[in-house]
Amino acid sequence: MNSLAGRDWFEKPALKRIFTLLNADGGEVRIVGGAVRNALMDLPVVDVDMATTLTPDVVVTRAKAAGIKVVPTGIDHGTVTLVMDGEGYEVTTLRRDVETNGRHAQVAFGTDWQTDAERRDLTINALYADEKGEIIDLIGGFPDIETRTVRFIGDATTRIAEDYLRILRFFRFFAHYGAGRPDADGLRASARAKDKLATLSAERVWSEVKKLLSARDPSRALLWMRQSGVLSEILPETEKWGIDAIHGLVAAEQALGWAVDPLLRLAAILPPDRDRLAALAARLRLSKAEASYLTHWASAPAADPEMKETALDRLLYRQGVEGVKARLKLALAAARADLSAGDAMHKVARLSTLLTRAEKFRKPGFPLSGADVMAAGVEAGPKVGEVLKSLEEKWIDVNFSLDRAALTARLKDMLEN
């Protein structure tokens, strides 16, 4: 299909209004990038980005005169966001590179669509659509859309040297949109420049890795990243651990309806070593929540299919649900992937039962507090915590079956003896 006309997202009044506004008086605006790519691949269109020959100040002036809300999201780089009907449309002035250094490009505004297209990274990301929805292909990207080929525009080595993050983008887009083998030129150029990834900010690297791990099935991309040495460059922890578990995890996700979880997939290819994971979290500048997830996973014991349900409850209370669930999911995925083993079906059934229980688990509240201990005659201080902890451990050991009255009686006996 060479036209986007008739698509629900393309026919929205807000989008039509932007076309009318910015195509007037010598200006021109087109949809560019992901929206065009996804539409042509029959994938959901989430964000609509646009490119224009008008400079940012003219876009802002016209939008404000039309009563449209303007957010200067990246105005120094030529990008403003026009907000209408609760949706934002990024509008970026055409650009040409003045200087590139592998990390950042100095750009100048322009009016040449060919130059704008040629400075982009991948052919599938450089297609435009005009006001009528007609596709404009200036770099031969349309055939790559049809064959799901992820390929750099022009010379792969040159494109990567402009911004080394493009190495990870190459694999990320292959994970999401590629078919068959990765483009050979792109693969070779990525392998040659892999050491340059160390020059990039940790935030940019982790952002790309996380997006890659969010693909429906990133296993092929990870395989080629390992083959090219790129994976070891950014995640050396995987070097002796391997990525074999990913395929089974993806199969389990799709069969069991699990939501895609990039952190669980990351855990699948890392050794459960708290010290190494802490170093990884610091190196890639993971958020506190992300680092905590990996710590809880590594701290939880390996999943035991023969564990009793009551023992699981005690573990979940003491260890927390998050890490134990991650262990159970990875163990279940591995068991499903190895159904040739003699006890495989039994392991799958037991791990499924334990995972279901873990997902339903709600941590009960301990019925006593420090105030109760002090009311029983213990002076404020460390002793209060010690007594309370001892009682809580007894309560956990009997699977939370003691109520407040029974625990109060135990407290009294403990203090008397």
Side-chain angles (χ1 to χ4, degrees):
M1 180 180 287
N2 291 325
S3 176
L4 305 182
R7 311 242 178 171
D8 289 346
W9 65 270
F10 184 79
E11 301 299 336
K12 286 185 176 180
L15 184 58
K16 297 298 184 186
R17 194 175 172 197
I18 294 174
F19 273 120
T20 300
L21 185 70
L22 301 184
N23 276 337
D25 300 323
E28 185 177 7
V29 65
R30 299 174 182 173
I31 300 171
V32 65
V36 182
R37 177 197 64 229
N38 281 24
L40 292 175
M41 288 183 166
D42 290 323
L43 297 171
V45 171
V46 179
D47 299 312
V48 179
D49 296 333
M50 309 185 79
T52 181
T53 56
L54 301 175
T55 55
D57 58 317
V58 175
V59 174
V60 170
T61 300
R62 289 193 185 188
K64 287 184 175 179
I68 297 172
K69 181 181 177 181
V70 180
V71 180
T73 40
I75 197 161
D76 291 342
H77 302 285
T79 301
V80 298
T81 300
L82 307 186
V83 182
M84 285 178 286
D85 301 334
E87 292 188 53
Y89 296 84
E90 277 197 359
V91 179
T92 302
T93 302
L94 301 192
R95 295 175 293 184
R96 58 181 176 85
D97 292 330
V98 175
E99 182 182 345
T100 58
N101 61 10
R103 289 177 292 174
H104 305 286
Q106 293 182 21
V107 299
F109 301 142
T111 57
D112 189 310
W113 291 98
Q114 186 72 39
T115 300
D116 183 76
E118 290 174 354
R119 68 172 296 279
R120 296 176 184 270
D121 54 1
L122 303 167
T123 58
I124 62 172
N125 291 339
L127 294 165
Y128 303 91
D130 64 16
E131 186 173 15
K132 296 179 180 178
E134 298 301 311
I135 305 301
I136 301 165
D137 181 8
L138 303 175
I139 40 75
F142 190 74
D144 291 338
I145 289 280
E146 293 184 310
T147 58
R148 291 184 172 264
T149 299
V150 177
R151 182 169 59 87
F152 284 106
I153 296 169
D155 179 65
T157 299
T158 302
R159 290 286 81 75
I160 287 173
E162 292 166 352
D163 183 352
Y164 294 115
L165 192 72
R166 286 175 171 175
I167 295 172
L168 299 183
R169 283 175 62 81
F170 173 70
F171 289 106
R172 191 245 290 187
F173 280 93
F174 178 74
H176 282 272
Y177 305 108
R181 293 166 63 96
D183 174 68
D185 289 340
L187 198 61
R188 281 192 295 268
S190 296
R192 284 195 296 264
K194 63 182 184 295
D195 60 315
K196 299 295 186 180
L197 290 167
T199 66
L200 300 172
S201 73
E203 291 87 351
R204 295 182 81 202
V205 171
W206 171 233
S207 176
E208 282 299 319
V209 171
K210 191 173 180 180
K211 289 173 183 175
L212 186 151
L213 291 173
S214 299
R216 183 175 184 272
D217 184 356
S219 56
R220 290 180 305 117
L222 288 170
L223 172 64
W224 288 106
M225 289 174 75
R226 182 172 67 177
Q227 297 282 69
S228 63
V230 168
L231 188 62
S232 295
E233 193 69 34
I234 56 172
L235 291 174
E237 295 82 3
T238 66
E239 197 162 16
K240 295 181 180 179
W241 194 254
I243 59 171
D244 298 340
I246 280 288
H247 185 72
L249 175 56
V250 171
E253 290 169 351
Q254 295 176 3
L256 303 176
W258 296 349
V260 169
D261 182 348
L263 284 174
L264 182 63
R265 289 172 166 187
L266 180 63
I269 62 176
L270 297 174
D273 182 318
R274 288 187 62 174
D275 291 338
R276 294 190 72 187
L277 293 177
L280 178 150
R283 185 180 76 246
L284 292 182
R285 298 191 181 178
L286 271 59
S287 69
K288 287 184 179 179
E290 292 165 343
S292 174
Y293 180 99
L294 293 179
T295 298
H296 281 97
W297 163 70
S299 301
D304 177 7
E306 302 309 320
M307 177 180 280
K308 302 296 184 185
E309 281 84 344
T310 49
L312 176 65
D313 290 346
R314 295 193 294 272
L315 177 63
L316 291 166
Y317 184 90
R318 290 186 170 114
Q319 196 77 42
V321 174
E322 190 173 58
V324 176
K325 272 178 58 178
R327 286 279 194 169
L328 287 169
K329 281 190 169 185
L330 292 178
L332 176 55
R336 285 175 52 86
D338 188 24
L339 291 178
S340 61
D343 62 343
M345 293 305 295
H346 172 73
K347 285 178 69 175
V348 167
R350 283 295 305 151
L351 289 166
S352 297
T353 298
L354 293 173
L355 178 59
T356 298
R357 190 175 183 93
E359 288 175 331
K360 293 179 179 178
F361 180 79
R362 297 294 179 269
K363 186 175 181 178
F366 183 51
L368 297 186
S369 67
D372 296 314
V373 176
M374 288 188 289
V378 178
E379 291 186 9
K383 184 68 174 175
V384 173
E386 293 171 11
V387 171
L388 199 63
K389 184 64 178 175
S390 176
L391 284 167
E392 185 180 20
E393 286 298 321
K394 290 182 171 63
W395 177 69
I396 296 170
D397 288 340
V398 294
N399 279 87
F400 326 108
S401 60
L402 298 175
D403 61 13
R404 180 178 172 81
L407 284 166
T408 301
R410 290 213 176 192
L411 171 61
K412 183 178 178 182
D413 290 342
M414 182 188 297
L415 297 179
E416 287 177 351
N417 295 324

